[in-house]
Amino acid sequence: MKPQENQAPVDRSRLLPEYRTLLEEIDALGGPALETLSPQEARADSEVRLALLWGAKDEVAGIENLEIPNDEMKLKARLYRRSDARRTILFFHGGGWMVGSIETHDGPVRTLCNATRANVLSIEYRKAPEAPFPAALEDAEVALLWLRAKGEALGLDAESLILAGDSAGASICASLAIRARDLEIPLAGQVLVYPATDLAGTTASRAEFSNGFSLQQSTMIWFAENYLSGGTPPSDPRVSPLLTADLSNLAPTLLITADHDPLRDEGRAYAQRLIAAGNDVCYEEWQGTIHGFFIMDRAGKTARKLIGHIGEWAESLWKRHDDAERGGD
């Protein structure tokens, strides 16, 4: 997104070359900021723009488009199969709770399926402002409960499930993991890629990277206002998991932040709180990266490197899970 005129120049000197080039290309293209469009226009624009950030798509063993019953409606979902694997990841895409879809994240999710050697169920949750909070989180819980009920019939292992998501999707994952703990639903782990964890707070990274680094401050404000347009305060722990009083006994976590991301500091803070609460946490800050790099394969090699790393973490986690299960026999 092109920085607004009359703003001080941004310092991109510490970015990886692939992201400096990408941001310069975006600057040159120009175009309206998302928040100047209607939600419907922004959604249509993002369907094209986000999908273009990924290059050639991986082949996977199989793809099935599914529908998950949710009261009087049905949630769209896409199941990516890895041969005869039973391990399963429940994935929630990013997009500020307003844009993005299973289509915009089709490329990275295919790669995630192969990297983890597991099945991935990607969920199309409802979007704001037509469906403000708590709609997305309710949909996530419905998807989790449906997978646990129907997984066996689909050949999926829902007993050692990993939740995963990027940005707003990672925020949904974090809140869903807390909800799963409270419902005594076991999870094998959660992968949070640059999550939004505190919609009520202000941080140094939100100020430092407010413009010129992929995710603009004005866009973040617009996303949050629409997501909370149903009247939920930003301090509600269900939308700001960092503010949850008790973060103990949560699933093992891989939490990734980008060092040039407005959401960096709240991601750091959430990792610190999870660790302080006694959880098993692997926290990593990827240097020279920007918000959205999980889906930026076309820019360079880092997106696939990240997804490959997620695959290694997930396989190691499942191995430890299996060892623990055998030890308990």
Side-chain angles (χ1 to χ4, degrees):
M1 197 74 65
K2 187 174 181 178
Q4 298 176 9
E5 296 182 3
N6 302 321
Q7 289 177 342
V10 296
D11 179 9
R12 295 170 175 166
S13 62
R14 293 181 293 112
L15 286 177
L16 292 173
E18 63 194 79
Y19 300 120
R20 285 203 303 271
T21 300
L22 175 65
L23 292 175
E24 288 165 2
E25 291 174 351
I26 293 173
D27 289 349
L29 286 173
L34 282 182
E35 63 273 15
T36 66
L37 305 174
S38 71
Q40 296 75 25
E41 290 171 334
R43 217 166 279 142
D45 177 79
S46 295
E47 282 298 299
V48 176
R49 182 171 52 83
L50 295 180
L52 285 175
L53 293 172
W54 197 265
K57 294 181 179 180
D58 293 1
E59 294 293 331
V60 296
I63 293 179
E64 301 171 38
N65 291 314
L66 305 173
E67 290 185 333
I68 299 174
N70 186 12
D71 293 332
E72 296 180 358
M73 61 166 292
K74 293 182 179 180
L75 300 177
K76 293 181 181 179
R78 182 169 294 166
L79 176 60
Y80 300 80
R81 288 194 182 271
R82 170 75 183 196
S83 300
D84 296 328
R86 289 181 51 80
R87 299 297 196 198
T88 305
I89 294 173
L90 183 59
F91 182 84
F92 300 93
H93 66 80
W97 308 280
M98 291 185 67
V99 303
S101 67
I102 56 178
E103 297 295 343
T104 63
H105 283 60
D106 181 65
V109 172
R110 286 168 177 259
T111 301
L112 182 67
C113 175
N114 287 331
T116 56
R117 305 176 190 273
N119 308 293
V120 183
L121 183 65
S122 183
I123 302 300
E124 187 73 72
Y125 52 87
R126 286 174 289 171
K127 308 295 192 305
E130 297 90 338
F133 182 85
L137 184 56
E138 289 176 344
D139 292 349
E141 183 177 334
V142 165
L144 173 61
L145 295 175
W146 178 86
L147 183 54
R148 285 186 57 79
K150 303 296 184 180
E152 186 66 30
L154 291 169
L156 307 176
D157 177 10
E159 297 300 316
S160 60
L161 190 68
I162 292 178
L163 307 181
D166 64 315
S167 193
S171 178
I172 291 170
C173 281
S175 295
L176 181 60
I178 295 167
R179 177 66 174 157
R181 176 202 63 186
D182 295 344
L183 292 174
E184 299 183 346
I185 296 174
L187 297 173
Q190 59 176 335
V191 178
L192 310 178
V193 180
Y194 38 77
T197 66
D198 186 4
L199 274 60
T202 57
T203 63
S205 63
R206 280 184 178 250
E208 183 177 1
F209 305 115
S210 61
N211 293 287
F213 291 94
S214 175
L215 178 61
Q216 312 286 17
Q217 182 180 43
S218 55
T219 306
M220 288 190 293
I221 293 171
W222 185 66
F223 282 156
E225 287 177 346
N226 280 278
Y227 185 47
L228 303 179
S229 59
T232 302
S235 58
D236 190 313
R238 296 172 299 165
V239 298
S240 295
L242 180 62
L243 305 182
T244 302
D246 179 12
L247 290 176
S248 63
N249 299 313
L250 292 174
T253 303
L254 173 62
L255 197 154
I256 303 293
T257 54
D259 68 334
H260 287 67
D261 182 356
L263 301 184
R264 180 196 67 193
D265 289 353
E266 60 201 81
R268 284 180 180 174
Y270 194 60
Q272 290 166 356
R273 281 214 57 209
L274 289 175
I275 293 168
N279 297 292
D280 177 355
V281 179
C282 177
Y283 169 64
E284 299 176 2
E285 187 166 290
W286 283 50
Q287 301 302 302
T289 61
I290 57 177
H291 190 85
F293 81 100
F294 175 79
I295 64 172
M296 293 177 176
D297 162 73
R298 194 179 291 275
K301 299 179 180 179
T302 310
R304 286 181 178 271
K305 182 179 178 182
L306 169 62
I307 296 174
H309 180 62
I310 292 171
E312 292 171 356
W313 179 86
E315 287 195 272
S316 174
L317 182 69
W318 277 319
K319 183 179 185 304
R320 286 189 283 134
H321 182 274
D322 288 345
D323 290 344
E325 287 289 312
R326 284 193 291 268
D329 290 342

Coordinates of all heavy atoms in Angstrom, one line a residue, residues 110-140:
R110 N -1.6 -25.0 0.7 CA -1.1 -26.2 0.0 C 0.3 -26.6 0.4 O 0.7 -27.7 0.7 CB -1.1 -26.0 -1.5 CG -2.4 -26.0 -2.2 CD -2.3 -25.4 -3.6 NE -3.6 -25.4 -4.3 CZ -3.9 -26.3 -5.2 NH1 -3.1 -27.3 -5.5 NH2 -5.1 -26.3 -5.8
T111 N 1.2 -25.5 0.5 CA 2.6 -25.7 1.0 C 2.6 -26.2 2.4 O 3.4 -27.1 2.8 CB 3.4 -24.5 0.8 OG1 3.3 -24.1 -0.6 CG2 4.8 -24.6 1.2
L112 N 1.7 -25.7 3.2 CA 1.7 -26.1 4.6 C 1.3 -27.6 4.7 O 1.8 -28.3 5.6 CB 0.6 -25.2 5.4 CG 0.5 -25.5 6.9 CD1 1.7 -25.1 7.7 CD2 -0.8 -24.7 7.4
C113 N 0.4 -28.0 3.9 CA -0.1 -29.4 3.9 C 1.1 -30.3 3.6 O 1.4 -31.3 4.3 CB -1.1 -29.6 2.8 SG -1.7 -31.3 2.5
N114 N 1.9 -30.0 2.6 CA 3.1 -30.8 2.3 C 4.2 -30.7 3.3 O 4.9 -31.7 3.6 CB 3.6 -30.4 0.9 CG 2.7 -30.8 -0.2 OD1 2.0 -31.8 -0.1 ND2 2.7 -30.1 -1.3
A115 N 4.4 -29.5 3.8 CA 5.5 -29.3 4.8 C 5.3 -30.0 6.1 O 6.2 -30.5 6.7 CB 5.7 -27.8 5.1
T116 N 4.0 -30.1 6.5 CA 3.7 -30.7 7.8 C 3.4 -32.2 7.6 O 3.2 -32.9 8.6 CB 2.5 -30.1 8.4 OG1 1.4 -30.1 7.5 CG2 2.8 -28.6 8.8
R117 N 3.3 -32.7 6.3 CA 2.9 -34.0 6.0 C 1.6 -34.4 6.7 O 1.4 -35.5 7.3 CB 4.0 -35.0 6.5 CG 5.4 -34.8 5.9 CD 6.4 -35.7 6.4 NE 7.7 -35.3 6.1 CZ 8.4 -35.7 4.9 NH1 7.7 -36.4 4.0 NH2 9.6 -35.3 4.7
A118 N 0.7 -33.4 6.7 CA -0.6 -33.6 7.4 C -1.7 -33.0 6.5 O -1.5 -32.3 5.5 CB -0.6 -32.8 8.7
N119 N -2.9 -33.3 6.9 CA -4.1 -32.8 6.3 C -4.3 -31.4 6.9 O -4.0 -31.1 8.0 CB -5.4 -33.6 6.5 CG -5.1 -35.1 6.2 OD1 -5.0 -35.4 5.0 ND2 -5.1 -36.0 7.1
V120 N -4.9 -30.5 6.1 CA -5.2 -29.1 6.5 C -6.6 -28.8 6.2 O -7.0 -28.9 5.0 CB -4.2 -28.1 5.9 CG1 -4.5 -26.7 6.5 CG2 -2.8 -28.4 6.2
L121 N -7.4 -28.4 7.2 CA -8.8 -28.0 7.0 C -8.8 -26.5 7.1 O -8.6 -25.9 8.2 CB -9.7 -28.6 8.0 CG -11.2 -28.3 7.8 CD1 -11.7 -28.8 6.4 CD2 -12.1 -28.9 8.9
S122 N -9.0 -25.8 6.0 CA -9.0 -24.3 6.0 C -10.5 -23.8 6.1 O -11.3 -24.2 5.3 CB -8.4 -23.8 4.7 OG -8.3 -22.4 4.7
I123 N -10.8 -22.8 7.0 CA -12.1 -22.4 7.3 C -12.4 -21.0 6.7 O -11.6 -20.1 6.9 CB -12.3 -22.4 8.8 CG1 -12.1 -23.8 9.4 CG2 -13.8 -22.0 9.1 CD1 -12.9 -24.9 8.8
E124 N -13.6 -20.9 6.1 CA -14.1 -19.6 5.6 C -15.1 -19.1 6.7 O -16.3 -19.4 6.6 CB -14.8 -19.8 4.3 CG -15.3 -18.5 3.7 CD -14.1 -17.7 3.1 OE1 -13.5 -18.2 2.1 OE2 -13.7 -16.7 3.7
Y125 N -14.6 -18.4 7.7 CA -15.4 -17.8 8.7 C -16.1 -16.5 8.3 O -15.7 -15.9 7.3 CB -14.6 -17.6 10.0 CG -13.3 -16.7 9.8 CD1 -13.4 -15.3 9.8 CD2 -12.1 -17.3 9.5 CE1 -12.2 -14.6 9.6 CE2 -11.0 -16.6 9.3 CZ -11.0 -15.2 9.4 OH -9.9 -14.4 9.1
R126 N -17.1 -16.1 9.0 CA -17.9 -14.9 8.6 C -17.0 -13.7 8.9 O -16.2 -13.7 9.8 CB -19.2 -14.8 9.4 CG -20.3 -15.8 8.9 CD -21.4 -15.8 9.8 NE -21.1 -16.4 11.1 CZ -21.9 -16.4 12.2 NH1 -23.1 -15.7 12.1 NH2 -21.6 -17.0 13.3
K127 N -17.3 -12.6 8.1 CA -16.5 -11.4 8.1 C -17.3 -10.2 8.6 O -18.5 -10.1 8.4 CB -15.9 -11.1 6.7 CG -15.2 -12.2 6.0 CD -13.9 -12.6 6.7 CE -13.1 -13.5 5.9 NZ -13.7 -14.7 5.4
A128 N -16.6 -9.3 9.2 CA -17.1 -8.0 9.6 C -17.1 -7.1 8.4 O -16.3 -7.3 7.5 CB -16.3 -7.4 10.7
P129 N -18.0 -6.0 8.4 CA -18.9 -5.6 9.4 C -20.2 -6.3 9.4 O -21.0 -6.2 10.3 CB -19.0 -4.1 9.1 CG -18.9 -4.0 7.6 CD -17.9 -5.1 7.3
E130 N -20.5 -7.1 8.3 CA -21.8 -7.8 8.2 C -22.0 -8.7 9.4 O -23.1 -8.9 9.9 CB -21.9 -8.5 6.9 CG -21.8 -7.7 5.6 CD -20.4 -7.4 5.1 OE1 -19.5 -7.6 5.9 OE2 -20.3 -7.1 3.9
A131 N -20.9 -9.3 9.8 CA -20.9 -10.3 10.9 C -19.8 -9.9 11.9 O -18.7 -10.5 11.8 CB -20.8 -11.7 10.4
P132 N -20.0 -8.9 12.7 CA -19.0 -8.5 13.7 C -18.7 -9.6 14.7 O -19.4 -10.6 14.8 CB -19.5 -7.2 14.3 CG -21.0 -7.4 14.2 CD -21.3 -8.2 12.9
F133 N -17.7 -9.3 15.6 CA -17.4 -10.2 16.7 C -18.7 -10.4 17.5 O -19.4 -9.4 17.7 CB -16.3 -9.6 17.6 CG -16.0 -10.5 18.8 CD1 -15.1 -11.5 18.6 CD2 -16.6 -10.3 20.0 CE1 -14.8 -12.4 19.7 CE2 -16.3 -11.2 21.0 CZ -15.4 -12.2 20.9
P134 N -19.0 -11.6 17.9 CA -18.2 -12.8 18.0 C -18.3 -13.8 16.9 O -18.0 -15.0 17.1 CB -18.7 -13.4 19.3 CG -20.1 -13.1 19.4 CD -20.3 -11.8 18.7
A135 N -18.9 -13.4 15.7 CA -19.2 -14.3 14.7 C -18.0 -15.2 14.3 O -18.1 -16.4 14.2 CB -19.8 -13.6 13.5
A136 N -16.9 -14.6 14.0 CA -15.7 -15.4 13.5 C -15.2 -16.4 14.6 O -14.9 -17.5 14.2 CB -14.6 -14.4 13.2
L137 N -15.2 -16.0 15.8 CA -14.8 -16.9 16.9 C -15.8 -18.0 17.1 O -15.5 -19.2 17.3 CB -14.6 -16.2 18.2 CG -14.0 -17.0 19.4 CD1 -12.7 -17.7 19.0 CD2 -13.8 -16.1 20.6
E138 N -17.1 -17.7 17.0 CA -18.1 -18.7 17.1 C -18.0 -19.7 15.9 O -18.1 -20.9 16.1 CB -19.5 -18.1 17.0 CG -19.9 -17.3 18.3 CD -21.2 -16.6 18.2 OE1 -21.7 -16.4 17.0 OE2 -21.7 -16.1 19.2
D139 N -17.7 -19.2 14.7 CA -17.5 -20.1 13.6 C -16.3 -21.0 13.8 O -16.3 -22.2 13.4 CB -17.3 -19.3 12.3 CG -18.6 -18.5 11.9 OD1 -19.6 -18.8 12.4 OD2 -18.5 -17.7 11.0
A140 N -15.3 -20.5 14.4 CA -14.1 -21.3 14.7 C -14.4 -22.4 15.6 O -13.9 -23.5 15.5 CB -13.0 -20.4 15.2

